[in-house]
Coordinates of all heavy atoms in Angstrom, one line a residue:
M1 N 27.4 18.2 5.7 CA 26.9 17.3 4.6 C 26.8 15.9 5.1 O 25.8 15.2 5.0 CB 27.7 17.5 3.4 CG 27.4 16.6 2.2 SD 26.0 17.3 1.3 CE 25.9 16.1 0.0
F2 N 27.9 15.4 5.6 CA 27.9 14.0 6.1 C 26.9 13.8 7.2 O 26.2 12.8 7.3 CB 29.3 13.6 6.6 CG 29.4 12.2 7.1 CD1 29.3 11.1 6.2 CD2 29.4 12.0 8.5 CE1 29.3 9.8 6.8 CE2 29.4 10.7 9.0 CZ 29.4 9.6 8.1
A3 N 26.9 14.8 8.1 CA 25.9 14.7 9.3 C 24.5 14.6 8.7 O 23.7 13.8 9.3 CB 26.1 15.9 10.2
E4 N 24.2 15.3 7.7 CA 22.8 15.3 7.1 C 22.5 13.9 6.5 O 21.5 13.3 6.7 CB 22.6 16.4 6.1 CG 22.4 17.7 6.6 CD 22.2 18.8 5.5 OE1 21.9 18.4 4.4 OE2 22.5 19.9 5.8
L5 N 23.5 13.4 5.8 CA 23.3 12.1 5.2 C 23.2 11.0 6.2 O 22.3 10.1 6.1 CB 24.5 11.8 4.2 CG 24.6 12.6 3.0 CD1 25.9 12.2 2.2 CD2 23.4 12.3 2.1
Q6 N 24.0 11.1 7.3 CA 23.9 10.2 8.4 C 22.5 10.2 9.1 O 21.9 9.2 9.4 CB 25.0 10.4 9.4 CG 25.1 9.3 10.5 CD 25.3 7.9 9.9 OE1 26.2 7.8 9.0 NE2 24.5 7.0 10.3
Q7 N 22.0 11.5 9.2 CA 20.7 11.7 9.8 C 19.6 11.0 9.0 O 18.7 10.4 9.5 CB 20.5 13.1 10.0 CG 19.2 13.4 10.8 CD 19.0 14.9 11.1 OE1 19.8 15.7 10.6 NE2 17.9 15.2 11.8
D8 N 19.7 11.2 7.6 CA 18.8 10.6 6.7 C 18.8 9.1 6.8 O 17.8 8.4 6.8 CB 19.1 11.1 5.3 CG 18.7 12.5 5.0 OD1 18.1 13.1 5.9 OD2 19.1 13.0 4.0
E9 N 20.1 8.6 6.9 CA 20.2 7.1 6.9 C 19.6 6.6 8.2 O 19.0 5.5 8.3 CB 21.7 6.7 6.8 CG 21.9 5.2 6.7 CD 21.2 4.6 5.6 OE1 21.1 5.2 4.5 OE2 20.7 3.5 5.8
D10 N 19.9 7.3 9.3 CA 19.3 6.9 10.6 C 17.8 6.9 10.6 O 17.2 6.0 11.1 CB 19.8 7.8 11.7 CG 21.3 7.7 12.0 OD1 21.9 6.7 11.5 OD2 21.9 8.5 12.7
E11 N 17.2 8.0 10.0 CA 15.8 8.1 9.9 C 15.2 7.0 9.0 O 14.2 6.4 9.3 CB 15.4 9.4 9.3 CG 14.0 9.8 9.3 CD 13.3 9.9 10.6 OE1 14.1 10.1 11.6 OE2 12.1 9.7 10.7
L12 N 15.9 6.7 7.9 CA 15.4 5.6 7.1 C 15.5 4.2 7.8 O 14.6 3.4 7.7 CB 16.3 5.5 5.8 CG 15.8 4.6 4.7 CD1 14.4 4.9 4.2 CD2 16.8 4.7 3.5
Q13 N 16.5 4.0 8.6 CA 16.6 2.8 9.3 C 15.5 2.7 10.4 O 15.0 1.6 10.6 CB 18.0 2.7 10.0 CG 18.3 1.3 10.6 CD 18.2 0.2 9.6 OE1 18.8 0.2 8.5 NE2 17.4 -0.8 9.9
R14 N 15.2 3.8 11.1 CA 14.2 3.8 12.0 C 12.8 3.4 11.4 O 12.1 2.6 11.9 CB 14.0 5.2 12.7 CG 12.9 5.3 13.7 CD 12.6 6.8 14.1 NE 12.0 7.5 13.0 CZ 10.6 7.4 12.7 NH1 9.8 6.8 13.4 NH2 10.1 8.1 11.7
F15 N 12.6 4.0 10.2 CA 11.4 3.7 9.4 C 11.3 2.2 9.1 O 10.3 1.6 9.3 CB 11.4 4.5 8.1 CG 10.1 4.4 7.3 CD1 9.1 5.3 7.5 CD2 10.0 3.3 6.4 CE1 7.9 5.1 6.7 CE2 8.8 3.2 5.7 CZ 7.8 4.1 5.8
R16 N 12.4 1.7 8.6 CA 12.5 0.2 8.3 C 12.2 -0.6 9.5 O 11.5 -1.7 9.4 CB 13.8 -0.1 7.7 CG 14.0 0.4 6.3 CD 15.4 -0.1 5.8 NE 15.7 0.5 4.5 CZ 16.9 1.0 4.2 NH1 17.9 1.0 5.1 NH2 17.1 1.5 3.0
D17 N 12.8 -0.2 10.6 CA 12.6 -1.0 11.8 C 11.2 -1.1 12.3 O 10.7 -2.1 12.9 CB 13.5 -0.5 12.9 CG 15.0 -0.7 12.7 OD1 15.3 -1.5 11.8 OD2 15.8 -0.1 13.3
L18 N 10.4 0.0 12.1 CA 9.1 0.1 12.5 C 8.0 -0.4 11.5 O 6.9 -0.7 11.9 CB 8.8 1.6 12.9 CG 9.5 2.2 14.1 CD1 9.2 3.7 14.2 CD2 9.1 1.4 15.4
A19 N 8.4 -0.4 10.3 CA 7.4 -0.8 9.2 C 6.9 -2.2 9.4 O 7.7 -3.1 9.5 CB 8.1 -0.6 7.9
R20 N 5.6 -2.3 9.5 CA 5.0 -3.7 9.8 C 5.2 -4.6 8.5 O 5.1 -5.8 8.7 CB 3.5 -3.6 10.1 CG 3.3 -3.0 11.5 CD 1.9 -3.1 11.9 NE 1.6 -4.5 12.3 CZ 0.5 -5.1 12.2 NH1 -0.6 -4.4 11.7 NH2 0.3 -6.3 12.6
C21 N 5.3 -4.0 7.4 CA 5.5 -4.8 6.2 C 6.9 -5.3 5.9 O 7.1 -6.1 5.0 CB 5.0 -4.0 4.9 SG 5.9 -2.5 4.7
N22 N 7.8 -4.8 6.7 CA 9.2 -5.2 6.6 C 9.6 -6.4 7.5 O 9.8 -6.2 8.7 CB 10.1 -4.0 6.9 CG 11.6 -4.3 6.7 OD1 11.9 -5.3 6.1 ND2 12.4 -3.4 7.1
D23 N 9.6 -7.5 6.9 CA 10.0 -8.7 7.7 C 11.4 -9.1 7.4 O 11.9 -10.1 7.9 CB 9.0 -9.9 7.4 CG 9.1 -10.4 6.0 OD1 9.8 -9.8 5.2 OD2 8.4 -11.3 5.6
G24 N 12.1 -8.3 6.7 CA 13.6 -8.5 6.4 C 13.8 -9.4 5.3 O 15.0 -9.5 4.8
V25 N 12.8 -10.1 4.8 CA 13.1 -11.0 3.6 C 12.1 -10.7 2.5 O 12.1 -11.4 1.4 CB 12.9 -12.5 4.0 CG1 14.1 -12.9 5.0 CG2 11.6 -12.8 4.6
G26 N 11.3 -9.7 2.6 CA 10.4 -9.3 1.5 C 9.3 -10.2 1.2 O 8.7 -10.2 0.1
S27 N 8.9 -11.0 2.2 CA 7.8 -12.0 2.0 C 6.4 -11.3 1.7 O 5.5 -12.0 1.2 CB 7.7 -13.0 3.1 OG 7.2 -12.3 4.3
M28 N 6.3 -10.1 2.1 CA 4.9 -9.4 1.9 C 4.9 -8.6 0.6 O 3.8 -7.9 0.4 CB 4.6 -8.6 3.1 CG 4.3 -9.4 4.3 SD 3.6 -8.4 5.6 CE 4.7 -8.7 6.9
V29 N 5.9 -8.6 -0.2 CA 5.9 -7.8 -1.4 C 4.7 -8.1 -2.3 O 3.9 -7.3 -2.8 CB 7.2 -7.9 -2.2 CG1 7.1 -7.3 -3.5 CG2 8.3 -7.3 -1.4
G30 N 4.4 -9.4 -2.5 CA 3.3 -9.9 -3.3 C 2.0 -9.4 -2.8 O 1.1 -9.1 -3.6
L31 N 1.8 -9.4 -1.5 CA 0.6 -8.9 -0.9 C 0.3 -7.5 -1.1 O -0.8 -7.0 -1.5 CB 0.7 -9.2 0.6 CG -0.6 -9.1 1.4 CD1 -1.6 -10.1 1.0 CD2 -0.3 -9.2 2.9
F32 N 1.4 -6.6 -1.0 CA 1.2 -5.2 -1.1 C 1.1 -4.7 -2.6 O 0.8 -3.6 -2.8 CB 2.3 -4.5 -0.4 CG 2.1 -4.4 1.1 CD1 2.3 -5.5 1.9 CD2 1.6 -3.3 1.7 CE1 2.0 -5.5 3.3 CE2 1.4 -3.2 3.1 CZ 1.6 -4.3 3.8
F33 N 1.5 -5.6 -3.5 CA 1.4 -5.2 -4.9 C 0.5 -6.2 -5.7 O 0.6 -6.3 -6.9 CB 2.8 -5.2 -5.6 CG 3.6 -4.1 -5.0 CD1 4.5 -4.3 -3.9 CD2 3.5 -2.8 -5.5 CE1 5.2 -3.3 -3.3 CE2 4.3 -1.7 -4.9 CZ 5.1 -2.0 -3.9
S34 N -0.4 -6.8 -5.0 CA -1.3 -7.7 -5.6 C -2.5 -7.0 -6.3 O -2.8 -5.9 -5.9 CB -1.9 -8.7 -4.5 OG -2.9 -9.5 -5.1
E35 N -3.1 -7.6 -7.2 CA -4.4 -7.1 -7.8 C -5.6 -7.8 -7.2 O -6.7 -7.4 -7.5 CB -4.4 -7.3 -9.3 CG -3.4 -6.4 -10.0 CD -3.6 -6.4 -11.5 OE1 -4.7 -6.6 -12.0 OE2 -2.6 -6.1 -12.2
Q36 N -5.4 -8.7 -6.3 CA -6.5 -9.5 -5.7 C -7.1 -8.6 -4.6 O -6.4 -8.1 -3.7 CB -6.0 -10.8 -5.1 CG -5.4 -11.7 -6.2 CD -6.4 -12.2 -7.2 OE1 -7.6 -12.5 -6.9 NE2 -6.0 -12.1 -8.5
L37 N -8.4 -8.5 -4.6 CA -9.1 -7.7 -3.6 C -8.8 -8.1 -2.2 O -8.7 -7.3 -1.3 CB -10.6 -7.7 -3.9 CG -11.0 -7.0 -5.2 CD1 -12.5 -7.1 -5.4 CD2 -10.5 -5.6 -5.3
D38 N -8.8 -9.5 -2.0 CA -8.6 -9.9 -0.6 C -7.1 -9.6 -0.1 O -6.9 -9.3 1.0 CB -8.9 -11.4 -0.4 CG -8.2 -12.3 -1.4 OD1 -7.7 -11.8 -2.4 OD2 -8.1 -13.5 -1.1
D39 N -6.2 -9.7 -1.0 CA -4.8 -9.4 -0.7 C -4.7 -7.9 -0.4 O -4.0 -7.5 0.6 CB -3.8 -9.7 -1.9 CG -3.6 -11.1 -2.1 OD1 -3.9 -11.9 -1.2 OD2 -3.1 -11.5 -3.1
I40 N -5.3 -7.1 -1.2 CA -5.3 -5.6 -0.9 C -5.9 -5.3 0.4 O -5.4 -4.5 1.2 CB -6.1 -4.9 -2.1 CG1 -5.3 -5.0 -3.4 CG2 -6.2 -3.4 -1.7 CD1 -6.0 -4.6 -4.6
A41 N -7.0 -5.9 0.8 CA -7.6 -5.7 2.1 C -6.7 -6.2 3.2 O -6.6 -5.5 4.2 CB -9.0 -6.5 2.1
R42 N -6.0 -7.3 3.0 CA -5.1 -7.7 4.1 C -3.9 -6.7 4.2 O -3.5 -6.5 5.3 CB -4.5 -9.1 3.7 CG -5.5 -10.2 4.0 CD -5.0 -11.6 3.6 NE -3.8 -11.9 4.3 CZ -2.9 -12.7 3.7 NH1 -3.1 -13.3 2.6 NH2 -1.8 -13.0 4.4
A43 N -3.4 -6.2 3.1 CA -2.3 -5.3 3.2 C -2.8 -4.0 3.9 O -2.0 -3.5 4.7 CB -1.8 -4.9 1.7
K44 N -4.0 -3.5 3.6 CA -4.5 -2.3 4.2 C -4.7 -2.6 5.7 O -4.4 -1.7 6.5 CB -5.8 -1.9 3.6 CG -5.7 -1.3 2.2 CD -7.0 -0.9 1.7 CE -6.9 0.0 0.5 NZ -8.3 0.4 0.0
A45 N -5.1 -3.8 6.1 CA -5.2 -4.1 7.5 C -3.9 -4.1 8.2 O -3.8 -3.7 9.4 CB -5.9 -5.5 7.7
I46 N -2.8 -4.6 7.6 CA -1.5 -4.5 8.2 C -1.1 -3.1 8.4 O -0.6 -2.7 9.4 CB -0.5 -5.3 7.3 CG1 -0.8 -6.8 7.3 CG2 1.0 -5.0 7.7 CD1 -0.1 -7.6 6.3
C47 N -1.3 -2.2 7.4 CA -1.0 -0.8 7.4 C -1.7 -0.1 8.6 O -1.2 0.8 9.2 CB -1.3 -0.1 6.1 SG -0.3 -0.5 4.7
A48 N -3.0 -0.5 8.8 CA -3.8 0.2 9.8 C -3.2 0.2 11.2 O -3.4 1.2 11.9 CB -5.2 -0.5 9.9
K49 N -2.3 -0.8 11.5 CA -1.7 -0.8 12.8 C -0.2 -0.4 12.7 O 0.6 -0.7 13.6 CB -1.8 -2.2 13.4 CG -3.3 -2.5 13.7 CD -3.4 -3.9 14.3 CE -4.8 -4.2 14.6 NZ -5.0 -5.6 15.0
C50 N 0.2 0.1 11.6 CA 1.6 0.4 11.4 C 2.0 1.8 12.0 O 1.3 2.8 11.8 CB 1.9 0.4 9.9 SG 3.7 0.8 9.6
P51 N 3.0 1.9 12.8 CA 3.4 3.1 13.5 C 3.9 4.2 12.6 O 4.0 5.3 13.0 CB 4.4 2.7 14.6 CG 4.9 1.4 14.1 CD 3.9 0.7 13.3
V52 N 4.3 3.8 11.4 CA 4.8 4.8 10.4 C 3.9 5.0 9.3 O 4.3 5.5 8.2 CB 6.3 4.4 9.9 CG1 7.3 4.5 11.0 CG2 6.3 3.0 9.3
R53 N 2.6 4.8 9.5 CA 1.6 4.8 8.4 C 1.5 6.2 7.8 O 1.5 6.4 6.6 CB 0.2 4.4 8.9 CG -0.8 4.3 7.8 CD -2.1 3.6 8.3 NE -2.6 4.3 9.5 CZ -3.5 5.3 9.5 NH1 -3.9 5.8 8.4 NH2 -3.9 5.8 10.7
E54 N 1.5 7.3 8.6 CA 1.4 8.6 8.1 C 2.6 9.0 7.2 O 2.5 9.5 6.1 CB 1.2 9.6 9.2 CG -0.2 9.8 9.6 CD -0.4 10.9 10.6 OE1 0.2 12.0 10.4 OE2 -1.2 10.7 11.6
E55 N 3.8 8.7 7.7 CA 5.0 9.0 7.0 C 5.0 8.2 5.6 O 5.4 8.7 4.6 CB 6.2 8.5 7.7 CG 6.6 9.4 9.0 CD 7.7 8.7 9.7 OE1 8.8 8.7 9.2 OE2 7.4 8.2 10.8
C56 N 4.6 7.0 5.7 CA 4.6 6.1 4.5 C 3.6 6.7 3.5 O 4.0 6.8 2.3 CB 4.1 4.7 4.9 SG 4.0 3.6 3.6
F57 N 2.4 7.1 3.9 CA 1.4 7.6 3.0 C 1.9 8.9 2.4 O 1.9 9.1 1.2 CB 0.1 7.9 3.7 CG -0.9 8.5 2.9 CD1 -1.6 7.8 1.9 CD2 -1.2 9.9 3.0 CE1 -2.5 8.4 1.1 CE2 -2.1 10.5 2.2 CZ -2.8 9.8 1.2
E58 N 2.5 9.8 3.2 CA 3.0 11.1 2.7 C 4.1 10.9 1.7 O 4.2 11.6 0.7 CB 3.4 12.0 3.9 CG 2.3 12.5 4.7 CD 2.7 13.2 6.0 OE1 3.9 13.4 6.2 OE2 1.8 13.5 6.8
G59 N 5.0 10.0 2.0 CA 6.1 9.6 1.1 C 5.6 9.1 -0.3 O 6.1 9.5 -1.3
A60 N 4.6 8.2 -0.2 CA 4.0 7.7 -1.4 C 3.4 8.7 -2.3 O 3.5 8.7 -3.5 CB 3.0 6.6 -1.0
V61 N 2.7 9.7 -1.6 CA 2.1 10.8 -2.4 C 3.1 11.6 -3.0 O 3.1 12.0 -4.2 CB 1.2 11.6 -1.4 CG1 0.7 12.9 -2.1 CG2 0.0 10.9 -1.0
A62 N 4.2 11.9 -2.2 CA 5.3 12.8 -2.8 C 6.0 12.1 -3.9 O 6.4 12.8 -4.9 CB 6.3 13.1 -1.6
R63 N 6.2 10.8 -3.9 CA 6.9 10.1 -4.9 C 6.0 9.7 -6.1 O 6.4 9.2 -7.1 CB 7.5 8.8 -4.4 CG 8.6 8.9 -3.4 CD 9.2 7.6 -3.0 NE 8.3 6.6 -2.6 CZ 7.9 6.5 -1.3 NH1 8.3 7.3 -0.4 NH2 7.0 5.6 -1.0
R64 N 4.6 10.0 -5.9 CA 3.7 9.6 -6.9 C 3.8 8.1 -7.2 O 4.0 7.7 -8.4 CB 3.7 10.4 -8.2 CG 3.5 11.9 -7.9 CD 3.5 12.8 -9.2 NE 2.7 12.2 -10.3 CZ 1.4 12.2 -10.4 NH1 0.7 12.8 -9.5 NH2 0.8 11.7 -11.5
E65 N 3.7 7.3 -6.2 CA 3.8 5.8 -6.4 C 2.9 5.3 -7.5 O 1.7 5.6 -7.5 CB 3.5 5.1 -5.1 CG 4.6 5.2 -4.0 CD 5.8 4.4 -4.4 OE1 5.8 3.6 -5.4 OE2 6.9 4.6 -3.8
P66 N 3.5 4.6 -8.4 CA 2.7 4.1 -9.5 C 1.7 2.9 -9.2 O 0.7 2.7 -9.9 CB 3.7 3.6 -10.5 CG 4.9 3.3 -9.7 CD 4.9 4.2 -8.6
W67 N 2.0 2.2 -8.1 CA 1.1 1.0 -7.8 C 1.4 0.5 -6.4 O 2.5 0.7 -5.9 CB 1.4 -0.1 -8.8 CG 0.6 -1.3 -8.6 CD1 1.1 -2.5 -8.2 CD2 -0.8 -1.5 -8.8 NE1 0.1 -3.4 -8.1 CE2 -1.1 -2.8 -8.4 CE3 -1.8 -0.6 -9.1 CZ2 -2.4 -3.3 -8.5 CZ3 -3.1 -1.1 -9.1 CH2 -3.4 -2.4 -8.8
G68 N 0.4 -0.1 -5.8 CA 0.6 -0.8 -4.6 C -0.1 -0.1 -3.4 O -0.6 1.0 -3.5
V69 N -0.1 -0.8 -2.3 CA -0.6 -0.3 -1.0 C 0.5 0.3 -0.2 O 1.5 -0.3 0.0 CB -1.3 -1.4 -0.2 CG1 -1.7 -0.9 1.2 CG2 -2.5 -2.0 -1.0
W70 N 0.3 1.6 0.1 CA 1.2 2.4 0.8 C 0.5 3.2 1.9 O -0.5 3.9 1.5 CB 2.0 3.4 -0.1 CG 2.7 2.8 -1.2 CD1 2.3 2.4 -2.4 CD2 4.1 2.4 -1.1 NE1 3.3 1.8 -3.1 CE2 4.5 1.9 -2.4 CE3 5.1 2.5 -0.2 CZ2 5.7 1.4 -2.7 CZ3 6.4 2.1 -0.5 CH2 6.7 1.5 -1.7
G71 N 0.9 3.2 3.1 CA 0.2 4.0 4.2 C -1.2 3.6 4.3 O -2.0 4.5 4.7
G72 N -1.6 2.4 4.0 CA -3.0 2.0 4.1 C -3.9 2.4 3.0 O -5.1 2.2 3.0
Q73 N -3.3 2.9 1.9 CA -4.1 3.3 0.7 C -3.6 2.6 -0.5 O -2.4 2.3 -0.7 CB -4.1 4.8 0.5 CG -4.6 5.6 1.6 CD -6.1 5.4 1.8 OE1 -6.9 5.2 0.8 NE2 -6.6 5.5 3.0
L74 N -4.5 2.3 -1.5 CA -4.1 1.7 -2.7 C -3.8 2.8 -3.7 O -4.6 3.7 -4.0 CB -5.2 0.8 -3.3 CG -5.0 0.2 -4.6 CD1 -3.8 -0.8 -4.6 CD2 -6.2 -0.6 -5.1
F75 N -2.6 2.8 -4.3 CA -2.2 3.8 -5.3 C -2.2 3.2 -6.7 O -1.9 2.1 -6.9 CB -0.8 4.3 -5.0 CG -0.7 5.2 -3.8 CD1 -0.8 4.8 -2.5 CD2 -0.5 6.6 -4.1 CE1 -0.7 5.7 -1.5 CE2 -0.4 7.5 -3.1 CZ -0.5 7.1 -1.8
L76 N -2.6 4.1 -7.6 CA -2.5 3.8 -9.0 C -2.1 5.0 -9.8 O -2.7 6.1 -9.6 CB -3.8 3.2 -9.6 CG -3.8 2.9 -11.1 CD1 -2.8 1.7 -11.3 CD2 -5.1 2.5 -11.6
N77 N -0.9 5.0 -10.4 CA -0.4 6.1 -11.2 C -0.3 7.4 -10.3 O -0.7 8.5 -10.7 CB -1.3 6.4 -12.4 CG -1.3 5.3 -13.4 OD1 -0.3 4.6 -13.5 ND2 -2.4 5.0 -14.0
G78 N 0.2 7.2 -9.1 CA 0.4 8.3 -8.2 C -0.8 8.9 -7.5 O -0.7 9.9 -6.8
K79 N -2.0 8.2 -7.7 CA -3.2 8.7 -7.0 C -3.8 7.6 -6.2 O -3.6 6.4 -6.5 CB -4.2 9.2 -8.0 CG -3.7 10.4 -8.8 CD -4.7 10.9 -9.7 CE -4.2 12.2 -10.4 NZ -4.9 12.5 -11.6
V80 N -4.5 8.0 -5.1 CA -5.2 7.1 -4.3 C -6.4 6.6 -4.9 O -7.2 7.5 -5.4 CB -5.5 7.7 -2.9 CG1 -6.3 6.8 -2.0 CG2 -4.2 8.1 -2.2
L81 N -6.6 5.3 -5.0 CA -7.9 4.8 -5.5 C -8.8 4.6 -4.3 O -8.5 3.9 -3.3 CB -7.7 3.4 -6.1 CG -7.0 3.3 -7.5 CD1 -7.0 1.9 -8.0 CD2 -7.8 4.2 -8.5
A82 N -10.0 5.1 -4.4 CA -11.0 5.0 -3.3 C -11.4 3.5 -3.1 O -11.6 3.0 -2.0 CB -12.2 5.9 -3.5
F83 N -11.6 2.8 -4.2 CA -11.9 1.4 -4.1 C -11.4 0.8 -5.4 O -11.2 1.4 -6.4 CB -13.4 1.1 -3.9 CG -14.2 1.7 -5.0 CD1 -14.6 0.8 -6.0 CD2 -14.7 3.0 -5.0 CE1 -15.4 1.3 -7.1 CE2 -15.5 3.5 -6.0 CZ -15.8 2.7 -7.1
K84 N -11.3 -0.5 -5.4 CA -10.9 -1.3 -6.6 C -12.0 -2.3 -6.9 O -12.5 -3.0 -6.1 CB -9.6 -2.0 -6.3 CG -9.1 -2.8 -7.5 CD -7.7 -3.3 -7.3 CE -7.2 -4.2 -8.4 NZ -7.5 -3.9 -9.8
R85 N -12.3 -2.3 -8.2 CA -13.4 -3.2 -8.6 C -12.8 -4.6 -9.0 O -11.6 -4.6 -9.3 CB -14.1 -2.7 -9.9 CG -14.9 -1.5 -9.6 CD -15.6 -1.1 -10.9 NE -16.4 0.0 -10.6 CZ -16.8 0.9 -11.4 NH1 -16.4 0.8 -12.7 NH2 -17.5 2.0 -11.1
K86 N -13.6 -5.6 -8.9 CA -13.2 -6.9 -9.4 C -12.9 -6.8 -10.8 O -13.4 -6.0 -11.6 CB -14.3 -8.0 -9.1 CG -14.4 -8.4 -7.7 CD -15.4 -9.5 -7.6 CE -15.6 -10.0 -6.2 NZ -16.6 -11.0 -6.1
R87 N -12.1 -7.7 -11.3 CA -11.8 -7.8 -12.8 C -13.0 -8.3 -13.5 O -13.9 -9.0 -13.0 CB -10.6 -8.8 -13.0 CG -9.3 -8.2 -12.6 CD -8.2 -9.1 -13.0 NE -7.1 -8.3 -13.3 CZ -6.1 -8.6 -14.1 NH1 -6.1 -9.8 -14.6 NH2 -5.1 -7.8 -14.3
G88 N -13.1 -7.9 -14.8 CA -14.2 -8.3 -15.6 C -15.4 -7.4 -15.5 O -15.4 -6.4 -14.8
R89 N -16.4 -7.7 -16.3 CA -17.6 -6.9 -16.4 C -18.5 -7.2 -15.1 O -18.5 -8.3 -14.7 CB -18.4 -7.3 -17.6 CG -17.8 -6.8 -18.9 CD -18.7 -7.2 -20.0 NE -18.2 -6.7 -21.2 CZ -18.9 -6.5 -22.3 NH1 -20.2 -6.6 -22.3 NH2 -18.3 -6.0 -23.4
P90 N -19.2 -6.2 -14.7 CA -20.1 -6.4 -13.6 C -21.3 -7.2 -14.1 O -21.6 -7.2 -15.3 CB -20.6 -5.0 -13.2 CG -20.2 -4.1 -14.3 CD -19.1 -4.8 -15.1
P91 N -22.0 -8.0 -13.3 CA -23.1 -8.8 -13.8 C -24.2 -7.9 -14.3 O -24.4 -6.8 -13.7 CB -23.6 -9.6 -12.6 CG -22.9 -8.9 -11.4 CD -21.7 -8.2 -11.9
K92 N -24.9 -8.3 -15.4 CA -26.0 -7.5 -15.9 C -27.2 -7.4 -15.0 O -27.8 -6.4 -14.8 CB -26.5 -8.1 -17.3 CG -25.5 -7.8 -18.4 CD -26.1 -8.3 -19.7 CE -25.1 -7.9 -20.8 NZ -25.5 -8.4 -22.1
N93 N -27.5 -8.5 -14.3 CA -28.6 -8.5 -13.3 C -28.1 -9.2 -12.1 O -28.3 -10.4 -11.9 CB -29.8 -9.2 -14.0 CG -31.0 -9.1 -13.1 OD1 -30.9 -8.7 -11.9 ND2 -32.2 -9.5 -13.6
P94 N -27.5 -8.5 -11.1 CA -27.0 -9.1 -9.9 C -28.0 -9.8 -9.1 O -27.7 -10.9 -8.5 CB -26.4 -8.0 -9.2 CG -26.6 -6.7 -9.9 CD -27.4 -7.1 -11.2
Q95 N -29.3 -9.4 -9.1 CA -30.3 -10.0 -8.3 C -30.6 -11.4 -8.9 O -30.9 -12.4 -8.1 CB -31.6 -9.2 -8.3 CG -31.4 -7.9 -7.5 CD -32.6 -7.0 -7.6 OE1 -33.3 -7.1 -8.6 NE2 -32.7 -6.1 -6.7
A96 N -30.6 -11.6 -10.2 CA -30.9 -12.9 -10.8 C -29.8 -13.8 -10.5 O -30.1 -15.0 -10.3 CB -31.0 -12.7 -12.3
Q97 N -28.6 -13.4 -10.3 CA -27.5 -14.3 -10.0 C -27.6 -14.8 -8.5 O -27.2 -15.9 -8.2 CB -26.1 -13.5 -10.1 CG -25.7 -13.4 -11.6 CD -24.2 -13.1 -11.7 OE1 -23.7 -12.4 -10.8 NE2 -23.6 -13.4 -12.8
Q98 N -28.1 -13.9 -7.7 CA -28.3 -14.3 -6.3 C -29.3 -15.4 -6.1 O -29.2 -16.3 -5.3 CB -28.7 -13.2 -5.4 CG -27.6 -12.2 -5.2 CD -28.0 -10.9 -4.5 OE1 -29.2 -10.7 -4.2 NE2 -27.0 -10.1 -4.2
I99 N -30.4 -15.4 -7.0 CA -31.4 -16.4 -7.0 C -31.0 -17.7 -7.5 O -31.3 -18.8 -7.0 CB -32.7 -15.9 -7.7 CG1 -33.3 -14.7 -7.0 CG2 -33.7 -17.0 -7.9 CD1 -34.3 -13.9 -7.9
A100 N -30.1 -17.7 -8.6 CA -29.7 -18.9 -9.2 C -28.8 -19.7 -8.3 O -28.3 -19.4 -7.4 CB -28.9 -18.5 -10.5
Ligands
LIG201 S1 2.0 1.8 6.4 FE1 1.9 -0.1 5.3 S2 3.2 0.0 3.5 FE2 3.7 1.7 4.9 S3 5.4 0.9 6.1 FE3 3.6 0.5 7.3 S4 2.9 -1.5 6.7 FE4 4.4 -0.9 5.2

């Protein structure tokens, strides 16, 4: 039993050491749980080069993460969102806005 717990703790520490979002002080928490599209894109870019990305993603799916970027994907209520829209209504006539 103790050996299993120690193995789990060692594995968790290995994960923490490799996670690109872990700077030891939590300075990236806001980025990974932001609603801003540019923040979400930056978080996904950080994940793209993370050596534990697959483990992170699988864990997030298993835990049904309610929100945030995990393993390079944006989660909402335990599901992956293919894309996130900007807040507010879409423009009625986007071409007219480009001309103005
Ligand atoms: S995949 Fe992204 S969220 Fe997961 S540990 Fe790596 S940087 Fe952090």
Side-chain angles (χ1 to χ4, degrees):
M1 176 83 174
F2 177 75
E4 282 180 24
L5 290 175
Q6 186 60 46
Q7 188 177 0
D8 288 349
E9 187 57 39
D10 291 348
E11 186 63 21
L12 190 57
Q13 189 58 51
R14 181 195 68 83
F15 185 94
R16 287 184 187 132
D17 290 345
L18 293 172
R20 290 191 77 209
C21 58
N22 182 13
D23 63 359
V25 293
S27 69
M28 289 194 235
V29 170
L31 192 64
F32 281 76
F33 293 95
S34 173
E35 291 193 24
Q36 301 296 317
L37 297 180
D38 55 340
D39 287 345
I40 293 167
R42 284 180 54 209
K44 286 182 172 182
I46 291 169
C47 292
K49 294 180 182 173
C50 182
V52 291
R53 186 169 55 88
E54 275 187 41
E55 290 172 69
C56 180
F57 176 76
E58 289 168 8
V61 169
R63 292 187 306 275
R64 298 184 45 81
E65 283 291 344
W67 179 248
V69 174
W70 299 87
Q73 299 292 330
L74 178 63
F75 281 76
L76 180 62
N77 298 327
K79 296 186 176 161
V80 173
L81 284 185
F83 62 94
K84 179 167 172 46
R85 293 188 178 149
K86 285 185 178 178
R87 288 187 146 199
R89 290 181 178 206
K92 286 185 177 174
N93 187 347
Q95 291 172 338
Q97 283 195 335
Q98 289 174 353
I99 295 168

